[in-house]
Each structure stands twice: as structure tokens, then as C-alpha cells.
Coordinates of all heavy atoms in Angstrom, one line a residue:
M73 N -24.2 -32.4 -2.8 CA -23.3 -31.7 -1.9 C -21.9 -31.6 -2.5 O -21.3 -30.6 -2.6 CB -23.2 -32.5 -0.5 CG -22.3 -31.9 0.5 SD -23.0 -30.4 1.2 CE -21.8 -30.1 2.5
V74 N -21.3 -32.8 -2.9 CA -20.0 -32.8 -3.5 C -20.0 -32.0 -4.8 O -19.1 -31.2 -5.1 CB -19.5 -34.2 -3.7 CG1 -18.2 -34.2 -4.5 CG2 -19.3 -34.9 -2.4
L75 N -21.1 -32.2 -5.6 CA -21.2 -31.4 -6.8 C -21.3 -29.9 -6.6 O -20.6 -29.1 -7.3 CB -22.4 -31.9 -7.6 CG -22.6 -31.3 -9.0 CD1 -21.4 -31.6 -9.9 CD2 -23.8 -31.9 -9.6
G76 N -22.0 -29.6 -5.5 CA -22.1 -28.1 -5.2 C -20.7 -27.6 -4.8 O -20.4 -26.5 -5.2
L77 N -19.9 -28.3 -4.0 CA -18.6 -27.9 -3.7 C -17.7 -27.8 -4.9 O -16.9 -26.9 -5.0 CB -18.0 -28.8 -2.6 CG -18.5 -28.8 -1.2 CD1 -17.9 -29.8 -0.4 CD2 -18.3 -27.4 -0.6
A78 N -17.8 -28.7 -5.8 CA -17.0 -28.7 -7.0 C -17.4 -27.5 -7.9 O -16.5 -26.8 -8.4 CB -17.3 -30.0 -7.8
R79 N -18.7 -27.2 -7.9 CA -19.1 -26.0 -8.7 C -18.5 -24.7 -8.1 O -18.1 -23.8 -8.7 CB -20.6 -25.9 -8.8 CG -21.2 -26.9 -9.8 CD -22.7 -26.5 -10.0 NE -23.2 -27.5 -10.9 CZ -24.4 -28.2 -10.7 NH1 -25.1 -27.9 -9.7 NH2 -24.8 -29.0 -11.6
K80 N -18.6 -24.7 -6.7 CA -18.1 -23.5 -6.0 C -16.6 -23.4 -6.3 O -16.1 -22.3 -6.6 CB -18.4 -23.6 -4.5 CG -17.9 -22.4 -3.7 CD -18.3 -22.6 -2.2 CE -17.9 -21.5 -1.4 NZ -16.6 -21.0 -1.4
F81 N -15.9 -24.5 -6.2 CA -14.4 -24.4 -6.5 C -14.1 -24.0 -7.9 O -13.3 -23.1 -8.1 CB -13.8 -25.8 -6.2 CG -12.4 -25.9 -6.5 CD1 -11.4 -25.4 -5.6 CD2 -11.9 -26.5 -7.7 CE1 -10.1 -25.5 -5.9 CE2 -10.6 -26.5 -8.0 CZ -9.7 -26.0 -7.1
L82 N -14.9 -24.5 -8.8 CA -14.6 -24.1 -10.2 C -14.9 -22.7 -10.5 O -14.2 -22.0 -11.2 CB -15.4 -25.0 -11.2 CG -14.9 -26.5 -11.3 CD1 -15.9 -27.3 -12.1 CD2 -13.5 -26.5 -11.9
C83 N -16.0 -22.2 -9.8 CA -16.3 -20.7 -10.0 C -15.2 -19.9 -9.4 O -14.8 -18.9 -10.0 CB -17.7 -20.4 -9.3 SG -19.1 -21.1 -10.2
E84 N -14.8 -20.3 -8.2 CA -13.7 -19.5 -7.6 C -12.4 -19.6 -8.4 O -11.7 -18.6 -8.6 CB -13.4 -20.0 -6.2 CG -14.5 -19.7 -5.2 CD -14.3 -20.3 -3.8 OE1 -13.3 -21.0 -3.6 OE2 -15.1 -20.0 -2.9
L85 N -12.1 -20.7 -8.9 CA -11.0 -20.9 -9.8 C -11.1 -20.1 -11.0 O -10.1 -19.4 -11.4 CB -10.8 -22.4 -10.1 CG -9.5 -22.7 -10.9 CD1 -8.3 -22.4 -10.0 CD2 -9.5 -24.2 -11.1
A86 N -12.2 -20.1 -11.6 CA -12.4 -19.3 -12.9 C -12.3 -17.8 -12.6 O -11.7 -17.1 -13.4 CB -13.8 -19.6 -13.5
S87 N -12.8 -17.4 -11.4 CA -12.7 -15.9 -11.1 C -11.3 -15.5 -10.8 O -10.9 -14.4 -10.9 CB -13.7 -15.5 -10.0 OG -13.3 -16.1 -8.8
A88 N -10.5 -16.5 -10.2 CA -9.2 -16.2 -9.8 C -8.2 -16.3 -10.9 O -7.1 -15.8 -10.9 CB -8.8 -17.1 -8.7
A89 N -8.5 -17.0 -12.0 CA -7.6 -17.4 -13.0 C -6.8 -16.2 -13.7 O -5.6 -16.3 -13.9 CB -8.2 -18.2 -14.1
P90 N -7.5 -15.1 -14.0 CA -6.8 -14.1 -14.7 C -5.8 -13.3 -13.9 O -5.1 -12.5 -14.4 CB -7.9 -13.1 -15.2 CG -9.1 -13.5 -14.5 CD -8.9 -14.8 -13.8
R91 N -5.7 -13.5 -12.6 CA -4.8 -12.7 -11.7 C -3.5 -13.3 -11.6 O -3.3 -14.5 -11.5 CB -5.4 -12.6 -10.3 CG -6.8 -11.8 -10.3 CD -7.4 -11.9 -9.0 NE -6.6 -11.2 -8.0 CZ -7.0 -11.0 -6.7 NH1 -8.1 -11.6 -6.3 NH2 -6.2 -10.4 -5.9
P92 N -2.4 -12.5 -11.7 CA -1.1 -13.0 -11.6 C -0.7 -13.1 -10.1 O -1.2 -12.4 -9.3 CB -0.2 -12.0 -12.3 CG -0.9 -10.7 -12.2 CD -2.4 -11.1 -12.2
R93 N 0.2 -14.0 -9.8 CA 0.8 -14.2 -8.5 C 2.1 -13.4 -8.4 O 3.0 -13.7 -9.1 CB 1.0 -15.7 -8.2 CG 1.5 -16.0 -6.8 CD 1.5 -17.6 -6.6 NE 2.0 -18.3 -7.7 CZ 3.3 -18.7 -7.7 NH1 4.1 -18.5 -6.8 NH2 3.7 -19.4 -8.8
H94 N 2.0 -12.4 -7.5 CA 3.2 -11.5 -7.4 C 4.1 -11.9 -6.2 O 3.7 -12.8 -5.5 CB 2.7 -10.1 -7.1 CG 1.9 -9.5 -8.2 ND1 2.5 -8.8 -9.3 CD2 0.5 -9.4 -8.5 CE1 1.5 -8.4 -10.1 NE2 0.4 -8.8 -9.7
A95 N 5.2 -11.2 -6.1 CA 6.1 -11.5 -4.9 C 6.5 -10.1 -4.3 O 6.5 -9.1 -5.0 CB 7.4 -12.2 -5.4
S96 N 6.9 -10.2 -3.1 CA 7.3 -8.9 -2.4 C 8.5 -9.2 -1.6 O 8.7 -10.3 -1.1 CB 6.1 -8.5 -1.4 OG 6.6 -7.4 -0.7
S97 N 9.3 -8.2 -1.4 CA 10.5 -8.3 -0.6 C 10.3 -7.7 0.8 O 11.2 -7.7 1.6 CB 11.7 -7.6 -1.2 OG 11.5 -6.2 -1.4
E98 N 9.0 -7.2 1.0 CA 8.7 -6.6 2.3 C 8.7 -7.7 3.4 O 8.3 -8.8 3.1 CB 7.3 -5.9 2.3 CG 7.3 -4.7 1.4 CD 5.9 -4.0 1.4 OE1 5.2 -4.2 2.4 OE2 5.7 -3.3 0.4
R99 N 9.1 -7.3 4.6 CA 9.1 -8.3 5.7 C 7.7 -8.7 6.0 O 6.8 -7.8 6.2 CB 9.8 -7.7 6.9 CG 9.8 -8.7 8.1 CD 10.6 -8.1 9.3 NE 12.0 -7.9 9.0 CZ 12.9 -8.8 9.2 NH1 12.6 -10.0 9.7 NH2 14.2 -8.5 8.9
L100 N 7.4 -10.0 6.1 CA 6.1 -10.5 6.4 C 5.7 -10.1 7.9 O 6.4 -10.4 8.8 CB 6.0 -12.0 6.2 CG 4.7 -12.6 6.3 CD1 3.8 -12.2 5.2 CD2 4.8 -14.2 6.3
P101 N 4.6 -9.4 8.1 CA 4.2 -9.0 9.4 C 3.8 -10.2 10.2 O 3.4 -11.2 9.6 CB 3.1 -8.0 9.2 CG 2.5 -8.3 7.9 CD 3.7 -8.8 7.1
P102 N 3.9 -10.2 11.5 CA 3.4 -11.4 12.3 C 2.0 -11.7 12.0 O 1.1 -10.8 11.9 CB 3.5 -10.9 13.8 CG 4.5 -9.7 13.7 CD 4.4 -9.1 12.4
G103 N 1.7 -13.0 11.7 CA 0.4 -13.4 11.3 C 0.1 -13.2 9.8 O -0.9 -13.6 9.3
G104 N 1.1 -12.6 9.1 CA 0.9 -12.4 7.6 C 0.1 -11.2 7.3 O -0.4 -10.5 8.2
W105 N 0.1 -10.8 6.0 CA -0.7 -9.6 5.6 C -2.1 -9.9 5.7 O -2.6 -11.0 5.3 CB -0.3 -9.3 4.2 CG 1.1 -8.7 4.1 CD1 1.5 -7.5 4.6 CD2 2.2 -9.2 3.4 NE1 2.9 -7.3 4.3 CE2 3.3 -8.4 3.5 CE3 2.4 -10.4 2.6 CZ2 4.5 -8.6 3.0 CZ3 3.6 -10.6 2.1 CH2 4.7 -9.7 2.3
P106 N -2.9 -9.0 6.1 CA -4.4 -9.2 6.1 C -5.0 -9.3 4.7 O -4.5 -8.5 3.8 CB -4.9 -8.0 6.9 CG -3.9 -7.0 6.8 CD -2.6 -7.7 6.6
D107 N -5.9 -10.1 4.5 CA -6.6 -10.2 3.2 C -7.2 -8.8 2.9 O -7.7 -8.1 3.8 CB -7.8 -11.2 3.2 CG -7.3 -12.6 2.9 OD1 -6.4 -12.7 2.1 OD2 -7.9 -13.5 3.5
G108 N -7.0 -8.4 1.7 CA -7.5 -7.1 1.2 C -6.6 -5.9 1.5 O -6.8 -4.8 0.9
G109 N -5.5 -6.2 2.3 CA -4.5 -5.1 2.4 C -3.8 -4.8 1.1 O -3.9 -5.6 0.2
V110 N -3.2 -3.7 1.0 CA -2.5 -3.3 -0.2 C -1.0 -3.3 0.0 O -0.6 -2.6 1.0 CB -3.0 -2.0 -0.8 CG1 -2.2 -1.5 -2.0 CG2 -4.5 -2.0 -1.1
I111 N -0.2 -4.0 -0.8 CA 1.2 -3.9 -0.7 C 1.8 -3.6 -2.1 O 1.2 -3.9 -3.1 CB 1.8 -5.3 -0.1 CG1 1.5 -6.4 -1.1 CG2 1.3 -5.5 1.3 CD1 2.2 -7.7 -0.7
T112 N 3.0 -3.1 -2.1 CA 3.8 -2.9 -3.3 C 4.6 -4.1 -3.5 O 5.3 -4.6 -2.6 CB 4.7 -1.7 -3.2 OG1 3.8 -0.5 -2.9 CG2 5.4 -1.4 -4.5
V113 N 4.5 -4.7 -4.7 CA 5.2 -5.9 -5.1 C 6.5 -5.6 -5.9 O 6.7 -4.5 -6.3 CB 4.3 -6.9 -5.7 CG1 3.2 -7.4 -4.7 CG2 3.6 -6.3 -6.9
L114 N 7.3 -6.6 -6.2 CA 8.5 -6.5 -6.9 C 8.4 -5.8 -8.2 O 9.3 -5.1 -8.6 CB 9.2 -7.8 -7.0 CG 9.7 -8.5 -5.7 CD1 10.3 -9.9 -6.0 CD2 10.6 -7.6 -4.9
C115 N 7.4 -6.1 -8.9 CA 7.2 -5.5 -10.3 C 6.8 -4.0 -10.2 O 6.7 -3.4 -11.3 CB 6.2 -6.3 -11.1 SG 4.5 -6.2 -10.5
G116 N 6.5 -3.5 -9.0 CA 6.1 -2.1 -8.8 C 4.6 -1.9 -8.7 O 4.2 -0.8 -8.4
E117 N 3.8 -2.9 -8.9 CA 2.4 -2.7 -8.8 C 2.0 -2.7 -7.3 O 2.7 -3.2 -6.5 CB 1.6 -3.9 -9.5 CG 1.6 -3.8 -11.0 CD 0.7 -4.8 -11.6 OE1 -0.4 -5.0 -11.0 OE2 1.0 -5.4 -12.6
K118 N 0.8 -2.1 -7.1 CA 0.2 -2.1 -5.8 C -0.9 -3.1 -5.9 O -1.8 -2.9 -6.7 CB -0.3 -0.8 -5.3 CG 0.8 0.2 -5.0 CD 0.3 1.5 -4.4 CE 1.4 2.5 -4.2 NZ 2.5 2.2 -3.5
V119 N -0.9 -4.2 -5.1 CA -1.9 -5.2 -5.2 C -2.6 -5.5 -3.9 O -2.1 -5.2 -2.8 CB -1.3 -6.5 -5.7 CG1 -0.7 -6.3 -7.1 CG2 -0.3 -7.1 -4.8
H120 N -3.9 -6.0 -4.0 CA -4.6 -6.4 -2.8 C -4.2 -7.8 -2.4 O -4.1 -8.7 -3.2 CB -6.1 -6.4 -3.1 CG -6.6 -5.0 -3.3 ND1 -7.1 -4.2 -2.2 CD2 -6.8 -4.2 -4.4 CE1 -7.5 -3.0 -2.7 NE2 -7.3 -3.0 -4.0
V121 N -3.9 -8.0 -1.1 CA -3.5 -9.3 -0.6 C -4.6 -10.3 -0.7 O -5.8 -10.0 -0.4 CB -3.0 -9.1 0.9 CG1 -2.7 -10.5 1.5 CG2 -1.8 -8.2 1.0
D122 N -4.3 -11.5 -1.1 CA -5.2 -12.6 -1.2 C -4.5 -13.8 -0.6 O -3.6 -14.3 -1.3 CB -5.7 -12.9 -2.6 CG -6.8 -13.9 -2.7 OD1 -6.8 -14.8 -1.8 OD2 -7.5 -13.9 -3.6
N123 N -4.8 -14.3 0.5 CA -4.2 -15.4 1.2 C -4.9 -16.8 0.9 O -4.6 -17.8 1.5 CB -4.1 -15.2 2.7 CG -3.2 -14.1 3.1 OD1 -2.1 -14.1 2.7 ND2 -3.7 -13.1 3.8
S124 N -5.8 -16.8 0.0 CA -6.6 -18.0 -0.3 C -5.7 -19.0 -0.9 O -4.7 -18.7 -1.6 CB -7.7 -17.7 -1.3 OG -7.2 -17.4 -2.6
P125 N -6.0 -20.3 -0.7 CA -5.2 -21.4 -1.3 C -5.2 -21.3 -2.8 O -4.2 -21.7 -3.4 CB -5.9 -22.7 -0.8 CG -6.6 -22.3 0.4 CD -7.0 -20.8 0.2
L126 N -6.2 -20.8 -3.4 CA -6.3 -20.7 -4.8 C -5.2 -19.8 -5.4 O -4.8 -19.9 -6.5 CB -7.7 -20.3 -5.3 CG -8.8 -21.3 -5.1 CD1 -10.1 -20.8 -5.5 CD2 -8.5 -22.6 -5.9
A127 N -4.8 -18.8 -4.6 CA -3.9 -17.8 -5.1 C -2.6 -18.5 -5.5 O -1.8 -18.0 -6.3 CB -3.6 -16.8 -4.0
W128 N -2.2 -19.6 -4.8 CA -1.0 -20.3 -5.2 C -1.1 -21.0 -6.6 O -0.1 -21.4 -7.1 CB -0.7 -21.4 -4.1 CG -0.2 -20.7 -2.9 CD1 -0.9 -20.5 -1.8 CD2 1.1 -20.2 -2.7 NE1 -0.1 -19.8 -0.8 CE2 1.1 -19.6 -1.4 CE3 2.3 -20.1 -3.4 CZ2 2.2 -19.0 -0.8 CZ3 3.4 -19.5 -2.9 CH2 3.4 -18.9 -1.6
L129 N -2.3 -21.1 -7.1 CA -2.4 -21.7 -8.5 C -2.3 -20.6 -9.6 O -2.2 -21.0 -10.7 CB -3.8 -22.4 -8.5 CG -4.0 -23.5 -7.5 CD1 -5.5 -24.0 -7.7 CD2 -3.0 -24.6 -7.7
W130 N -2.3 -19.4 -9.2 CA -2.2 -18.3 -10.2 C -0.8 -18.4 -10.9 O 0.2 -18.7 -10.3 CB -2.4 -17.0 -9.7 CG -3.8 -16.8 -9.0 CD1 -4.9 -17.5 -9.3 CD2 -4.2 -15.8 -8.1 NE1 -6.0 -17.1 -8.5 CE2 -5.5 -16.0 -7.8 CE3 -3.5 -14.7 -7.5 CZ2 -6.2 -15.2 -6.9 CZ3 -4.2 -13.9 -6.6 CH2 -5.5 -14.1 -6.3
E131 N -0.8 -17.9 -12.1 CA 0.5 -17.9 -12.9 C 1.4 -16.8 -12.3 O 0.9 -15.7 -11.9 CB 0.2 -17.6 -14.3 CG 1.3 -17.8 -15.2 CD 0.9 -17.7 -16.7 OE1 -0.1 -18.3 -17.1 OE2 1.6 -17.1 -17.5
T132 N 2.7 -17.0 -12.2 CA 3.6 -16.1 -11.7 C 3.7 -14.9 -12.5 O 3.8 -14.9 -13.7 CB 5.0 -16.8 -11.6 OG1 4.9 -17.9 -10.7 CG2 6.0 -15.8 -10.9
C133 N 3.7 -13.7 -11.9 CA 3.9 -12.4 -12.6 C 5.3 -12.4 -13.2 O 6.3 -12.6 -12.5 CB 3.7 -11.3 -11.6 SG 4.3 -9.7 -12.2
P134 N 5.4 -12.2 -14.5 CA 6.7 -12.2 -15.2 C 7.7 -11.1 -14.6 O 8.9 -11.4 -14.4 CB 6.4 -11.9 -16.6 CG 5.0 -12.2 -16.8 CD 4.3 -12.0 -15.5
G135 N 7.1 -9.9 -14.3 CA 8.0 -8.9 -13.7 C 8.5 -9.2 -12.4 O 9.7 -9.0 -12.0
C136 N 7.7 -9.8 -11.5 CA 8.1 -10.2 -10.2 C 9.1 -11.4 -10.3 O 10.1 -11.4 -9.5 CB 6.9 -10.6 -9.3 SG 6.0 -9.2 -8.7
N137 N 8.9 -12.2 -11.2 CA 9.8 -13.4 -11.4 C 11.2 -12.9 -11.7 O 12.2 -13.4 -11.2 CB 9.3 -14.3 -12.5 CG 9.9 -15.7 -12.5 OD1 10.4 -16.1 -11.5 ND2 9.9 -16.3 -13.7
V138 N 11.3 -11.9 -12.6 CA 12.7 -11.4 -13.0 C 13.3 -10.7 -11.8 O 14.5 -11.0 -11.5 CB 12.5 -10.4 -14.2 CG1 13.8 -9.6 -14.4 CG2 12.1 -11.1 -15.5
E139 N 12.5 -9.9 -11.1 CA 13.1 -9.2 -9.9 C 13.5 -10.2 -8.8 O 14.5 -10.0 -8.1 CB 12.1 -8.2 -9.4 CG 11.8 -7.0 -10.3 CD 13.1 -6.2 -10.6 OE1 13.9 -6.0 -9.7 OE2 13.2 -5.8 -11.8
A140 N 12.7 -11.2 -8.6 CA 13.0 -12.2 -7.6 C 14.3 -13.0 -7.9 O 15.1 -13.2 -7.0 CB 11.9 -13.2 -7.4
H141 N 14.5 -13.3 -9.1 CA 15.7 -14.0 -9.6 C 16.9 -13.1 -9.4 O 18.0 -13.5 -8.9 CB 15.7 -14.5 -11.0 CG 14.9 -15.8 -11.1 ND1 13.6 -15.9 -11.2 CD2 15.4 -17.0 -11.3 CE1 13.2 -17.1 -11.3 NE2 14.3 -17.9 -11.3
A142 N 16.8 -11.8 -9.7 CA 17.9 -10.8 -9.5 C 18.2 -10.6 -8.1 O 19.4 -10.6 -7.7 CB 17.5 -9.5 -10.2
L143 N 17.2 -10.5 -7.2 CA 17.4 -10.4 -5.7 C 18.1 -11.6 -5.2 O 19.0 -11.5 -4.3 CB 16.1 -10.2 -5.0 CG 15.5 -8.8 -5.0 CD1 14.1 -8.9 -4.4 CD2 16.4 -7.8 -4.3
A144 N 17.8 -12.8 -5.7 CA 18.4 -14.0 -5.2 C 19.7 -14.3 -5.8 O 20.5 -15.2 -5.4 CB 17.4 -15.2 -5.4
G145 N 20.1 -13.6 -6.9 CA 21.3 -13.8 -7.6 C 21.3 -15.1 -8.3 O 22.4 -15.8 -8.5
V146 N 20.1 -15.6 -8.8 CA 20.0 -16.8 -9.5 C 19.6 -16.5 -10.9 O 18.6 -15.8 -11.1 CB 18.9 -17.7 -8.8 CG1 18.7 -19.0 -9.6 CG2 19.4 -18.0 -7.4
P147 N 20.3 -17.0 -11.9 CA 19.9 -16.8 -13.3 C 18.6 -17.4 -13.6 O 18.3 -18.5 -13.0 CB 21.0 -17.4 -14.2 CG 21.9 -18.1 -13.2 CD 21.5 -17.8 -11.8
M148 N 17.8 -16.8 -14.5 CA 16.5 -17.4 -14.8 C 16.8 -18.6 -15.7 O 17.7 -18.6 -16.5 CB 15.6 -16.4 -15.6 CG 15.2 -15.3 -14.6 SD 13.9 -14.2 -15.3 CE 12.6 -15.3 -15.6
A149 N 15.9 -19.6 -15.7 CA 16.0 -20.8 -16.5 C 16.0 -20.4 -17.9 O 15.2 -19.6 -18.4 CB 14.9 -21.8 -16.2
G150 N 16.9 -20.9 -18.7 CA 16.9 -20.6 -20.1 C 17.8 -19.4 -20.4 O 18.1 -19.2 -21.6
A151 N 18.2 -18.6 -19.4 CA 19.0 -17.4 -19.7 C 20.5 -17.9 -19.8 O 20.9 -18.8 -19.2 CB 18.9 -16.5 -18.5
R152 N 21.1 -17.2 -20.8 CA 22.6 -17.6 -21.0 C 23.4 -16.4 -20.9 O 23.1 -15.3 -21.2 CB 22.7 -18.2 -22.4 CG 22.0 -19.6 -22.4 CD 22.2 -20.2 -23.7 NE 21.3 -21.4 -23.7 CZ 21.6 -22.5 -24.3 NH1 22.7 -22.7 -24.9 NH2 20.8 -23.5 -24.2
Ligands
ZN149 ZN1 4.3 -8.6 -10.1

């Protein structure tokens, strides 16, 4: 049972690994965006919403990271 769950988790993690984690400046609708919905993110891409806990483990999209820092008025780490 535990091994089966571990395998399922690893399979989900492996399938989720290549996707970047994007950011959006759109106002979050009540209850959040529905899974599978399409939104435009800070880097300009249109992406399908994924609210799964694994999505938080994805690597941050470099384009969204730059735009998020600019919106917040915070210099990126290492920038001089
Ligand atoms: Zn992005």
C-alpha cells in the first residue's frame, strides 16, 4: 500500500517535473482558478491552471520571476 502510494507520487512528480511554475498578476477569483482553466501569466504565456500540491515543487519560470520582481520593485538576488 505504502509502496503503491510512493510509486504513484514518483510518477506524478516525474510527469510534473518539466513544467515551470508561473505567476500571474490577475486577481484571484473567489475559490481560486479552476483546474484546467487557461490564464495569461507574467511571462506572456497562456497556461492551464494546476492547483495540485506538486505544482509548488516545479521550478520557477525565469520570465515570470523577472516580471514579479519588477512589479514588486524588488531587485533580483545577485543583480547589481
Ligand atoms: Zn512564466
Side-chain angles (χ1 to χ4, degrees):
M73 177 77 171
V74 172
L75 185 58
L77 288 175
R79 282 190 184 134
K80 181 177 185 305
F81 177 78
L82 289 174
C83 288
E84 288 177 357
L85 186 60
S87 66
R91 297 173 64 181
R93 183 168 46 93
H94 296 275
S96 174
S97 62
E98 293 181 23
R99 180 178 294 273
L100 188 66
W105 288 296
D107 274 325
V110 177
I111 62 170
T112 301
V113 292
L114 295 180
C115 67
E117 286 191 40
K118 292 187 184 305
V119 299
H120 292 272
V121 173
D122 185 336
N123 292 306
S124 70
L126 291 176
W128 287 100
L129 301 175
W130 299 341
E131 194 169 317
T132 302
C133 166
C136 283
N137 196 27
V138 168
E139 294 300 322
H141 278 80
L143 283 172
V146 176
M148 295 192 56
R152 294 179 188 218

